[in-house]
Amino acid sequence: MSSLAEKTPSYEIVIGLEVHVQLLTESKMFCGCSTKFGAPPNTLTCPVCIGMPGTLPVMNRKAFELALKAALALNCQIARFTKWDRKNYYYPDLPKGYQISQYDLPLSRDGYLPIRDPKGLIEPKNIGIIRVHLEEDAGKSMHDEKAGTGDSRIDLNRAGTPLLEIVSKPDIRSPAEAKAYLTELKLLLNYLGVSDCNMQEGSLRVDANINLHIPSPDGTVATPIVEVKNMNSFRAVERALAYEAERQYREWRETGKRKGEAPKSTRGWDEDLGVTLPQRSKEESSDYRYFPDPDLVPVTVSEEEIERIRRSLGELPAAIRARLERSYGITPYDSDVIVNQGRAVVDYYSKLADGCGDGKLASNWIQQDVLRTLNERQIGIDRFPVAASALAQLLTKVRTGEIATSRAREALALMIDSGKPVDEAIAALGIQRVDEAELVALGRELLQSNAKVLADLKDGNLKAAGWLIGQAKRRNPNIDPNRFREICLKLVEEMKAEA
């Protein structure tokens, strides 16, 4: 999908994203309650997370370390001293009447995330990160308007769950860039083991701030900023922002309102209708009356701690893509597909490419055969029946012309189903190498006995070679169709020269 900025050059889209990510901890941010998803409502609570008087919170050390890990991977500056603040507002799913968060002294700030699109629809760029900080989640309100009762129920299982809030700079210039940023962020957090980023379970939630910069005779006009909520997929984010940009431009043309002349507002995305709908005016920081939480001590971080976490990051997705492209000569698209499958698939691919000596061939088989099997069987690469070394043996035979690709796929299917090693699978299927001289003789025989096919090929109708290949495969299923086609076309050229 191309950006609206490309479709409508009369204005520039300006987008900043606020992403809330649930951290992979077993217990909540300030108490020992479980963070397990799917438990019966209000069964994973205690006096601390439901805000009973007299209770005292205690920081989850694991959550803080995961937050540091994410902040370092996002190239942020880590604060050596950070504190906790109370964000005050009243809502039924916030039992304390405030949320423990971080305000003026966050965990980290001033980072960036590189994005790119292997299809070339957007230009590679760095998206700035304003801050990455920790906070606790609120509960969940469940409304039954669709059932006709109008009832609302509150589930506090999620209250107190550790969240990482990642706030981007308004560097995003199209819905496509927003989707690319979210896709890369999710991949990075998965590689780090910081979060599972499951949007269906609420582990990753996105709010988008969007407005337009419109050239005018009096200078650039900025429309009022709108925060868009209720987007439950990256595709929904892209669609919602595309719609909202068009809506703001249409409204500006009708009313002429600009930034400062109308309040910031919040709108919700309706997936079924494909529109954003007004919700409420948007709060400013002063509305939350932040003040330091008196029940929690500030946290200091040493250089040694930062370096320990930095060493634990491992190779990150952007670096892995660059290494695969450099070492194995594959395209950005291929490296993107492989890296998106996770570290285990990257390791499998590297062993396969090293073993068969052809990075592109290995990439093709990973994408066309290995991943298909994993998807069909709903398994991970760790349960794939064929080891990388065994598949490398098979691909080496393909690369050297010992067996045809089609027959190699038959052998792989047998290896997957039976567990047979390469040579046994090949023998069981009767796969043998066809001598080059035999291919030439068979091609000459078929051409000489089929005058119409020969005439078509001489006239440049290359589709006629398909008939020859079909006849050859009936004679000998081990024939490599691509090689046989090359030989037949060469023979036709020789016959034309002789004539």
Side-chain angles (χ1 to χ4, degrees), residues 361 394-405 431-436 439 478-480 483:
L361 182 65
L394 183 65
L395 296 194
T396 299
K397 295 179 183 296
V398 173
R399 183 175 62 80
T400 58
E402 187 173 337
I403 60 177
T405 299
I431 299 174
Q432 296 177 347
R433 181 170 187 170
V434 181
D435 185 73
E436 188 87 355
L439 292 176
N478 290 315
I479 283 176
D480 183 336
R483 180 59 186 145

Side-chain angles (χ1 to χ4, degrees), residues 130-131 187 199 211 248 264 325 333 354 396-397 462 465:
I130 295 175
R131 57 192 282 155
L187 182 66
M199 294 191 77
N211 75 329
Q248 288 189 25
K264 297 179 182 178
E325 292 165 25
Y333 176 84
D354 289 338
T396 299
K397 295 179 183 296
L462 301 184

Side-chain angles (χ1 to χ4, degrees), residues 26-279:
E26 294 183 2
S27 59
K28 294 184 180 181
M29 188 68 230
F30 299 110
C31 69
C33 291
S34 172
T35 57
K36 182 180 179 181
F37 179 81
N42 299 304
T43 58
L44 304 179
T45 60
C46 72
V48 174
C49 57
I50 65 174
M52 296 297 289
T55 57
L56 291 173
V58 178
M59 185 193 76
N60 185 328
R61 177 75 181 186
K62 177 67 173 178
F64 193 86
E65 290 184 353
L66 290 176
L68 274 179
K69 202 171 187 179
L72 286 169
L74 289 167
N75 306 290
C76 290
Q77 301 298 314
I78 306 300
R80 302 305 188 269
F81 178 93
T82 185
K83 66 179 177 64
W84 305 100
D85 300 281
R86 292 186 178 183
K87 181 180 181 181
N88 297 273
Y89 64 96
Y90 295 96
Y91 204 71
D93 60 16
L94 195 68
K96 296 194 293 284
Y98 63 85
Q99 176 192 33
I100 300 176
S101 182
Q102 295 184 311
Y103 179 49
D104 57 331
L105 294 176
L107 170 82
S108 66
R109 63 174 74 242
D110 298 329
Y112 64 90
L113 176 66
I115 65 168
R116 70 172 196 175
D117 178 12
K119 296 180 181 179
L121 297 179
I122 64 172
E123 292 293 325
K125 64 187 294 188
N126 290 340
I127 304 298
I129 305 291
I130 295 175
R131 57 192 282 155
V132 176
H133 68 259
L134 272 166
E135 62 185 22
E136 62 176 346
D137 205 351
K140 182 179 181 181
S141 298
M142 298 172 290
H143 307 294
D144 285 346
E145 289 92 342
K146 291 186 178 180
T149 62
D151 294 337
S152 293
R153 295 171 293 167
I154 304 297
D155 179 8
L156 295 178
N157 280 349
R158 202 166 69 187
T161 296
L163 292 181
L164 196 66
E165 182 171 0
I166 303 167
V167 183
S168 85
K169 292 182 179 179
D171 290 344
I172 299 169
R173 291 294 176 267
S174 72
E177 283 189 6
K179 184 180 179 182
Y181 169 84
L182 292 171
T183 300
E184 186 67 12
L185 180 61
K186 177 179 183 291
L187 182 66
L188 178 66
L189 297 175
N190 286 157
Y191 264 73
L192 293 171
V194 164
S195 174
D196 60 19
C197 297
N198 188 328
M199 294 191 77
Q200 287 69 37
E201 296 182 2
S203 298
L204 187 150
R205 305 194 291 276
V206 183
D207 297 332
N209 293 288
I210 175 173
N211 75 329
L212 307 180
H213 289 181
I214 306 170
S216 75
D218 299 326
T220 300
V221 173
T223 60
I225 296 173
V226 172
E227 182 178 25
V228 183
K229 292 179 174 289
N230 300 344
M231 299 171 290
N232 59 8
S233 70
F234 294 167
R235 172 61 176 156
V237 172
E238 188 176 28
R239 293 184 63 217
L241 292 175
Y243 171 84
E244 180 59 22
E246 290 179 340
R247 187 200 67 78
Q248 288 189 25
Y249 187 62
R250 185 169 59 249
E251 182 180 83
W252 176 81
R253 294 189 65 178
E254 293 171 355
T255 67
K257 287 184 178 179
R258 62 182 69 195
K259 188 176 180 181
E261 294 179 352
K264 297 179 182 178
S265 62
T266 299
R267 299 177 70 90
W269 171 246
D270 188 308
E271 183 68 28
D272 295 330
L273 296 178
V275 300
T276 62
L277 300 172
Q279 291 184 329

Side-chain angles (χ1 to χ4, degrees), residues 305-317:
E305 177 76 356
I306 292 172
E307 287 307 310
R308 181 182 69 82
I309 298 294
R310 196 189 302 276
R311 288 193 299 270
S312 72
L313 297 181
E315 192 179 22
L316 300 179

Side-chain angles (χ1 to χ4, degrees), residues 279-294:
Q279 291 184 329
R280 54 182 168 81
S281 61
K282 184 172 171 58
E283 298 89 347
E284 301 289 350
S285 296
S286 58
D287 294 321
Y288 293 117
R289 295 174 292 113
Y290 284 98
F291 66 86
D293 192 307

